[in-house]
Amino acid sequence: MTLPDRLSIDPRSPFFNDEVLERGVGILFNGREREDVSEYCVSEGWIRVPAGKSKDRFGQPITIKLKGTVEPFLRA
């Protein structure tokens, strides 16, 4: 199974894919595994991670975009 170029854990996103997320996706960002990724894009080279404990007015975590090398993989 190949992983999509862009994937989000937010069900409201057009890039949400429950089938892929159920299998377990890990992210290597700049050679280090990240556990807190909420969205990624391999071709554009960025991930979105929560910015601390802050929330927006809808109760969703505020995220920041980090640029670098993104390598998704399936967890065993």
Side-chain angles (χ1 to χ4, degrees):
M1 173 183 201
T2 60
L3 292 171
D5 177 59
R6 188 166 175 182
L7 184 65
S8 174
I9 63 169
D10 184 5
R12 299 173 297 159
S13 171
F15 301 105
F16 177 77
N17 187 336
D18 191 40
E19 181 181 306
V20 173
L21 292 173
E22 284 180 359
R23 295 195 58 170
V25 177
I27 300 294
L28 283 175
F29 182 68
N30 291 336
R32 198 179 72 161
E33 187 172 352
R34 296 287 302 244
E35 300 284 335
D36 59 347
V37 176
S38 60
E39 186 174 1
Y40 74 82
C41 183
V42 176
S43 62
E44 295 176 14
W46 57 262
I47 61 172
R48 285 199 175 274
V49 294
K53 296 183 180 183
S54 55
K55 306 269 186 197
D56 66 8
R57 62 185 177 171
F58 303 108
Q60 301 298 320
I62 293 178
T63 60
I64 55 173
K65 185 186 283 188
L66 302 175
K67 295 189 176 208
T69 306
V70 180
E71 302 170 45
F73 63 92
L74 287 174
R75 295 182 188 267

